[in-house]
Structure formats: C-alpha cells, structure tokens
Amino acid sequence: MSSPATAPPAPNNLRRIVAASLIGTTIEWYDFFLYGSAAALVFNKLFFPDSDPLVGTLLSFLTYAVGFAARPLGALVFGHYGDRLGRKKLLVLSLLLMGGATFAIGLLPTHASIGAAAPVLLTVLRLVQGFALGGEWGGAVLLVSEHGDAKRRGFWASWPQTGAPAGQLLATGVLSLLTAVLSDAAFGSWGWRIPFLLSGVLVIVGLWIRLSVDESPVFREALARAESRKEDDERLPLVAVLRHHWRDVLVAMGARMAENISYYVITAFILVYATVSAGVSKQTALNAVLIGSAVHFAVIPAWGALSDRIGRRPVYLLGAVGIGLWMFPFFSLVDTGSFGSLVLAVTVGLVLHGAMYAPQAAFFSEMFATRMRYSGASIGAQFASVAAGAPAPLIATALLADYGSSTPIALYVIAAVLITVVAVGVAQETRHRDLSDVAPVPEAGPAPETEAEAEAEAADARTV
C-alpha cells in the first residue's frame, strides 16, 4: 500500500501543481527567448551604436550567451537551498528574479541616454535571467514529480518541459504581432519595450498560481527525518551529490548533450543556415520553426506517457538515435529551399528531440535521493548546457564558414548523439522507483557482520 508521501494526490490538486509548473516555466522561457529575439532585432542599434552593424550584432549576442554562463551558478545556489528549504520557495524566487530582470530591461535607458552604462546594465540583467533560469528547471520538474506516483510520473513531469516551446511560441508571437502593426521607427523607439514590460503581468499570474500549491510531500517527509538526524550531508546537498551521486550527475550531463545541441541547431542555427545556404528568408525559416514548435509542444506529453509504459531509457534512446539518423536528411530538406521541406525538416527534428526532452524530467528526478535531488538534477542539466547548447550555434556557424557544407555540422550532432547513447545506455532504468525511497550509493566500508545489521544499514540509507 502506498505511503502518504507517495500516494497520488487528488486529480484537481495534481492538475493545479502541473499548471503552476507549466505556467512558470513558460514565463521563464518566454523571458529567455525574448531577449534572444530582441538581440537580433534591435539591441545592436540601441545598446551598441558605436560599433559597425555586424560587430554590434555580435556584441548583443555575446550578452545573450552570458545568460548561459550564469545558469550553472543558478543551479548550484537554487539546488542547495531548494534541497534545504523546499522546492516551492525557490520556484517563487526564480520567477521573481526572472520576471523582475525582464521587466527592468523594458525600462532600461539606451546608449543614447546614458552612454556605456546601458550595455553594462543590460549584461547584468541578462546574468540575472540566466541565474534564475538555472534554478527554475530543477524545481519545476521536481514539484510535479514528487507529488505524483510512479505510474504516470513521466506524463505529468513532461508538462513543465512543454514550457520551452510554449515560451518560444509566445515570445516570437508577441514580437511578430508588434512588428506587423508598428512601423520600424516606432518599434525601434518604444515598441520593443512592450514584450518586456508584459512580463510583469505574466509574473503576477504565475506567482498567484505558484503560491496556491503545496510543498512536495516527499520533501516534507525527508526534511522531517533530516532534522531528527542532523547529518552534515543533508545540510550540504552539493557535498552529498558529489559523494553519492557523481555517476548520476555524469549520466545526466551526457544525456543532455544530444538533446541540447540538436535543439539549438534545429531552432537557432537553422535561421543562419537556411538564409545563407538555401537562400530562404529569415522570416520563412522562423515560420517553419514556429510550426515545428507547436508540434513539439503537442508531442512532449505523449512521449512522457510512453516512457511510463516502456521506460525512460528506451524512449530517450529512440530520440537520440533518431536525431542522429535524421541529421543528413534534415540538411538535405533545408537545401531544397522549399517551405514545405523546411517545415518537415524542423518538425521531424523537434518530434525526435521531444523523445529525449519529455522523459528527461522524470528520468533525472528519479536518479537522486530526495534531500539532494534539486542539486543533482539541476547540476547535471545546467552544467551540460554550457558545454552543449550555449556554443552549439557558434560551433555550427564556424563549421559552415570553414567547410561551406552541412556535413561537418551533421557529424557534430552525431558525435553528441554517441555521447548520449553511451550515457543513457549505462544508466539504470528508473520508471518504477518510489521517489521517497531513492537512497544514495553507500560509501565503501566494512561489510555488516549479521543479517540484522545489513537490514538496519539498508533501512538507514532509505531514510535519506
């Protein structure tokens, strides 16, 4: 019989928890993607006007990359305090930081008003965005994962993952609407501020929903046990992760390589490749990405549900191998210059990406013990993003410039796929794990002398 910590909550309560996580992640990804779009459209002129246009664009994208650099720090800080204080409190803080930074960008004076201080302030606010996003993901997926039981955890935990395509759709949609109804002069003067200021309204809605949900019962139970035991590992979750779960952290980082690199190649680098090599307009390529993102949003829960039936590893491996096999057809379709072929290339790529992204939330959650789960999942996910997603568009662009061909880029993604296949291949299947009963691997020591001692030692480990 299920314990109180692991019994599934009432359907209405679980849906509210899922909604709180989904809306929060959508808002945070909206803020993150909005910055990237604005960097390409107006930031080079507003904050770096002394540079030539190309240099200004590169500088504005450099501030975009700064957000990735701050994500591991956010993972460390939010993971540490999320494992000590709770998931809900840190999720509220991450939403406030991200929304506050985005709203402040909408009020930021430009270079024409305050000179060099403008790009400096812009970079600082981008750092805050990256820091907040680094802490958001782990808490959002854990809040859902720890409220449900194992039978449908993959399905429910995949919903916060849909926040990425939802945020991208929302950010791009708002910008497209504004550029359609405003003149270039009006948009460059004041119109670009509207989507950033809109974040303030979205944050209020997100906070209202997040504050209405309960803390994870699995975490509350583990916290009560930890307070009675007063162990150093539990007061320092990062130390416990590195001591007991370092293999799981490496598995999570390896699993992220193909997922993260392929996503930014398909959604970001495609805007460069389609215009340079296939002669497609950037707007046409962007429309293809929007259509693919809508399908991506729809299929993620389906992949999550499939992982509940056949396991996290088979679905993840299906997506990774599928992406590797799709890379050469992907670029061949883009090279045709046909809008239909471009939509097909991006959509199939994102559907296969979803097979990795959907089970990732439950998969990573199930790897770690409760009092170090926020730290472990966040560190594994966010440290990998610095080596994978952050440089992926730059590496792909450099390969295209050096070789003038898509072949090295396809091989680059395939190399990442090989890393992911090895990482997921050596991992244990986790779909049947009870999150309140995930214990760290014990350190090597003298074997217990009696069966009673062995049982006591195992019971002690499970209380983590």
Side-chain angles (χ1 to χ4, degrees), residues 10-31:
N12 289 339
N13 187 43
L14 182 57
R15 292 190 187 99
R16 187 169 68 250
I17 293 161
V18 171
S21 293
L22 171 58
I23 289 174
T25 54
T26 298
I27 293 170
E28 299 235 15
W29 281 112
Y30 165 82
D31 292 345

Side-chain angles (χ1 to χ4, degrees), residues 387-400:
L394 298 176
I395 291 173
T397 302
L399 290 172
L400 180 63

Side-chain angles (χ1 to χ4, degrees), residues 117-191:
V120 172
L121 290 173
L122 182 67
T123 302
V124 170
L125 291 174
R126 181 58 177 174
L127 281 168
V128 175
Q129 281 190 325
F131 179 78
L133 190 61
E136 162 70 21
W137 180 85
V141 300
L142 293 189
L143 194 65
V144 176
S145 295
E146 292 180 342
H147 269 89
D149 64 342
K151 291 182 180 179
R152 302 194 70 194
R153 186 181 299 130
F155 170 74
W156 290 116
S158 70
W159 278 100
Q161 301 290 74
T162 65
Q168 186 172 58
L169 284 167
L170 184 60
T172 307
V174 170
L175 284 172
S176 296
L177 177 63
L178 289 172
T179 54
V181 300
L182 296 177
S183 66
D184 289 345
F187 183 79
S189 174
W190 55 269

Side-chain angles (χ1 to χ4, degrees), residues 270-295:
I270 189 64
L271 301 179
V272 175
Y273 184 82
T275 55
V276 172
S277 296
V280 176
S281 70
K282 185 167 289 189
Q283 188 61 50
T284 299
L286 187 59
N287 289 339
V289 173
L290 283 173
I291 294 171
S293 295
V295 177

Side-chain angles (χ1 to χ4, degrees), residues 54-66:
L54 180 58
V55 173
T57 301
L58 288 173
L59 289 172
S60 65
F61 274 123
L62 181 61
T63 62
Y64 174 73
V66 162

Side-chain angles (χ1 to χ4, degrees), residues 84-126:
R84 294 187 64 186
L85 305 177
R87 288 63 164 118
K88 177 180 173 179
K89 294 176 183 177
L90 272 294
L91 280 174
V92 169
L93 178 60
S94 72
L95 190 60
L96 285 172
L97 285 175
M98 176 66 91
T102 306
F103 187 82
I105 291 174
L107 299 174
L108 199 62
T110 63
H111 189 279
S113 300
I114 60 174
V120 172
L121 290 173
L122 182 67
T123 302
V124 170
L125 291 174
R126 181 58 177 174

